[in-house]
């Protein structure tokens, strides 16, 4: 077994280390989610923590790591008699992103269950992680149903496995740690809330710290065992401190005064539900124990807020996690003043942790998303003139016009679902119909490989004609492997939603471009909720460019959209051909994920010889490959040429105006797309 990197040898990353250590002291805190850019020691820190965890006593031979002092009465390997047991190191179990449900919760031997009535249960990763650490790298890429199972087990401290009337329950209490790179997509807000703490990590910009990181890493790679030996004393001291803090934890007093501060702080930041209050209370208690105190003070509450609230105060998916420290101090001060606290100052030495996600380096979704500095501030007065778009901005300026500064997106709104026709087999999501492992049962088939979802009726029907030939004499059904039938299920899949946005001069009227960006932002929000991949192609001037390659990070697409400049001619055909190139590559990378092309344009095309006809040919190229498409018609003014509607016909899709999209009146779009797909 390879020697892990010492936890005490980590350079910087104070928030990350503190969040992990607090969970080691009190697993009831609820785990920690580590968000940050790649290459910031997220995984290294989690794996290093395992070496610091105290040994655990387990019942000898129990596959579910029961405590010999208080064995689980419902343990599938039980019942156990209380005894001394054996000691072993706490486990760190890693959950792969591509794991199946059975690998996570365990699996039953269906054949033995049917033929012998035996609960032959094979434990999963949740059982392996009991009383240890369960680590999920790239937790934001984990399928939703696995995340639900994982977090339910973490909340209840038990795992339940139900398979066709056979039920197994076992204890599953573990320290849950998830790491993620926000550039690759976000967790849903309700799942974010299930993690007790969150920390933002970023590479330091200080030269000396970066030099020290490289120096230590090179030394570790050259001689892992020797490097670990040099940090053995520090590791032992930290391990002893964790043990001492665990022993002190039950004696820590959480007074009414600090409890009121916790409640007032959560109310001031308008977090949903009561989980934040409970997590803050547990975190403040762990902080006091970690500091060697038997009473929680205001500094602990402040520190707990910085760890427990940033990911809970997001009001929409595009808000970056973070906490306003000035507002936090005001909330704590107000609560202290109301109760006449003798020590109301929360700015003591114990609260010196940088704000979570408040600095420019910790903006996970936008730091690499291409948003320029002028994309969020220079256009603050873009609409100050208040001029309405009368259609005069539709004509491109002579010579192509100059580039204009980006304008802010209009207010997003709720949209109807746009889906791809037919039945797909892509990654689980919430947009289009697909054959999935989860959903309603639609039929059965012979299993290919391991049986995962038994279709009981079909299995019995297959086995019934052979009972006499198999010499059945008792009440049990004689079932062979060939009789087993896999249930086929229909659910929803996520798609690749590729936006092709016209950023030419004909779209540059500020009021109109703001509305266009608002519409695209609304569709991006819908894509976020439906677990899609998104991409962004823009065209203006003489050519088109891939502003954002297909990604799971909708935040990154929103940032690119905000900073999108406008102006110049309208190379519509170039935009469609660039989109065709993107889709061609994505079909090779992920052939099961079906695309949905969303073209946002007024349909006008300029530059070159017969640009409108060239755009039509490009559209028909997409139609010939069966790509589902929608054209968002942005034409305005009294004179309408209907070019966007013609483009939609060339694409074999449907057209909808901005007004129809905003008015929530596109209920017929899915039918139109389906009809177009069948006609093709």
């Amino acid at each position: 077994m390879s020697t892990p990197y010492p936890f005490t040898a980590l350079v910087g990353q104070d928030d990350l280390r503190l969040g992990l250590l607090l969970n080691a002291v009190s697993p009831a805190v609820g785990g920690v989610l580590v968000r940050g850019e790649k290459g910031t020691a997220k995984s290294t820190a989690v794996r290093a923590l395992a070496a610091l965890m105290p040994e655990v006593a387990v019942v000898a031979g129990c596959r579910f790591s029961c405590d010999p002092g208080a064995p689980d009465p419902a343990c599938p390997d039980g019942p156990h008699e209380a005894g001394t047991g054996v000691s072993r190191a706490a486990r760190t179990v890693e959950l792969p992103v591509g794991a199946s449900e059975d690998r996570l919760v365990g699996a039953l031997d269906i054949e033995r269950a049917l033929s012998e009535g035996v609960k032959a249960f094979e434990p999963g990763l949740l059982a392996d992680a009991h009383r240890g650490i369960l680590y999920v790298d790239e937790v934001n890429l984990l399928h939703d149903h696995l995340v639900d199972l994982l977090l339910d087990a973490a909340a209840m401290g038990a795992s339940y496995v139900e398979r066709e009337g056979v039920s197994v329950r076992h204890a599953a209490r573990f320290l849950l740690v998830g790491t993620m790179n926000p550039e690759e997509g976000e967790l849903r807000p309700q799942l974010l809330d299930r993690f007790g703490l969150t920390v933002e990590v970023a590479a330091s910009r200080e030269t000396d710290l970066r030099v020290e990181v490289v120096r230590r890493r090179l030394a570790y790679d050259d001689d892992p065992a020797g490097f670990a030996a040099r940090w053995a004393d520090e590791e032992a001291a930290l391990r002893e401190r964790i043990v001492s803090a665990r022993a002190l934890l039950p004696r820590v007093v959480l007074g009414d005064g600090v409890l009121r501060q916790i409640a007032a702080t959560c109310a001031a930041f308008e977090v949903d539900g009561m989980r934040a209050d409970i997590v803050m209370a547990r975190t403040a208690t762990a902080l006091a124990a970690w500091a060697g105190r038997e009473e929680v003070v205001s500094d602990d509450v402040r520190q707990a807020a910085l760890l427990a609230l940033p990911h809970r105060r997001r009001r929409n998916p595009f808000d970056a996690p973070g906490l306003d420290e000035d507002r936090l101090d005001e909330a704590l001060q107000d609560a202290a003043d109301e109760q006449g606290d003798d020590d109301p100052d929360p700015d003591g030495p114990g609260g010196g942790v940088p704000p979570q996600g408040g600095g420019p380096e910790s903006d996970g979704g936008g730091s690499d998303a291409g948003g320029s500095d002028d994309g969020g501030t220079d256009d603050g007065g873009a609409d100050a003139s208040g001029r309405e778009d009368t259609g005069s901005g539709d004509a491109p300026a002579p010579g192509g016009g100059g580039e204009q500064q980006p304008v802010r997106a209009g207010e997003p709104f709720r949209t109807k679902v746009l889906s791809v026709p037919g039945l797909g087999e892509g990654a689980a999501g919430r947009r289009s119909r697909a054959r999935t492992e989860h959903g309603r049962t639609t039929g059965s088939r012979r299993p290919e490989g391991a049986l995962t979802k038994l279709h009981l009726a079909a299995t019995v029907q297959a086995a019934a004609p052979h009972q006499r030939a198999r010499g059945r004499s008792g009440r049990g059904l004689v079932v062979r492997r060939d009789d087993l039938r896999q249930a086929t299920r229909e659910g929803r899949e996520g798609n690749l939603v590729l936006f092709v946005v016209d950023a030419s001069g004909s779209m540059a009227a500020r009021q109109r471009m703001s509305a266009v960006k608002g519409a695209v932002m609304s569709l991006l929000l819908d894509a976020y909720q439906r677990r899609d991949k998104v991409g962004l192609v823009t065209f203006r001037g003489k050519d088109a460019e891939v502003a954002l390659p297909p990604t799971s990070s909708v935040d990154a697409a929103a940032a690119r959209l905000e900073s999108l400049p406008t102006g110049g001619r309208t190379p519509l055909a170039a935009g469609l051909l660039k989109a065709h190139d993107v889709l061609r590559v994505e079909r090779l990378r992920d052939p099961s994920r079906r695309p949905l092309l969303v073209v946002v344009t007024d349909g006008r095309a300029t530059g070159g010889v017969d640009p409108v006809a060239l755009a039509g040919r490009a559209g028909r190229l997409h139609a010939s490959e069966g790509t589902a498409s929608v054209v968002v018609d942005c034409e305005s003014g009294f004179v309408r040429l209907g070019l966007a509607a013609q483009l939609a016909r060339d694409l074999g899709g449907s057209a909808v105006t901005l007004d129809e999209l905003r008015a929530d009146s596109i209920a017929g779009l899915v039918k139109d797309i389906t009809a177009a797909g069948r006609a093709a």
Side-chain angles (χ1 to χ4, degrees), residues 461-648:
Q461 187 176 8
H466 308 290
Q467 296 306 296
R468 181 175 298 178
R470 292 173 183 174
R472 174 185 171 184
S473 58
R475 299 176 59 186
L477 190 68
V478 180
V479 180
R480 303 284 169 79
R481 176 70 186 177
D482 291 342
D483 301 329
L484 299 179
R485 294 294 182 269
Q486 174 87 19
T488 57
R489 302 192 176 193
E490 182 178 313
R492 295 281 172 177
E493 67 177 359
N495 297 110
L496 167 59
V497 182
L498 182 61
F499 293 92
V500 182
V501 179
D502 186 347
S504 64
S506 66
M507 300 283 289
R510 290 191 180 277
Q511 290 286 1
R512 181 147 65 109
M513 197 60 198
S514 177
V516 168
K517 285 188 175 183
V520 178
M521 195 71 75
S522 302
L523 293 169
L524 281 172
L525 180 60
D526 182 69
Y528 168 85
Q529 294 167 340
R530 300 186 186 282
R531 309 296 287 173
D532 295 314
K533 289 181 70 174
V534 296
L536 179 62
V537 172
T538 65
F539 56 94
R540 55 183 290 272
K542 296 182 179 180
D543 203 357
E545 66 172 345
V546 180
L548 184 71
T551 175
S552 296
S553 178
V554 178
D555 285 5
R560 294 289 172 93
L561 182 68
E562 282 284 2
S563 62
L564 180 66
T566 58
R569 295 188 180 276
T570 312
L572 177 56
L576 295 173
L577 293 175
K578 182 67 72 175
H580 181 268
D581 291 341
V582 171
L583 294 180
R584 177 178 55 81
V585 173
E586 286 301 308
R587 285 189 180 100
L588 296 175
R589 290 177 175 171
D590 191 357
S592 63
R593 187 181 292 268
R594 298 184 295 163
L596 174 62
L597 186 67
V598 179
V599 184
V600 185
T601 181
D602 57 9
R604 303 189 182 198
T606 58
V609 178
D610 204 355
V612 175
L614 185 60
R617 289 197 295 272
R620 290 189 290 276
L621 177 61
H622 284 280
S624 68
E625 297 181 351
T627 303
S629 60
V630 176
V631 177
V632 179
D633 185 356
C634 303
E635 191 174 27
S636 63
F638 295 107
V639 179
R640 295 178 179 268
L641 303 179
L643 296 175
Q646 178 57 50
L647 176 62

Side-chain angles (χ1 to χ4, degrees), residues 149-194:
L149 290 170
L150 174 65
L151 296 180
D152 283 344
M156 295 185 296
S159 175
Y160 295 85
V161 184
E162 303 286 345
R163 289 291 187 276
E164 305 294 345
V166 182
S167 177
V168 173
R169 173 227 173 257
H170 65 83
R173 292 183 296 274
F174 45 81
L175 168 55
L176 176 63
V177 182
T179 57
M180 59 175 284
N181 182 352
E183 296 175 1
E184 297 173 340
E186 282 284 0
L187 279 174
R188 303 197 312 268
Q190 61 268 40
L191 298 185
L192 275 173
D193 185 58
R194 298 298 292 272

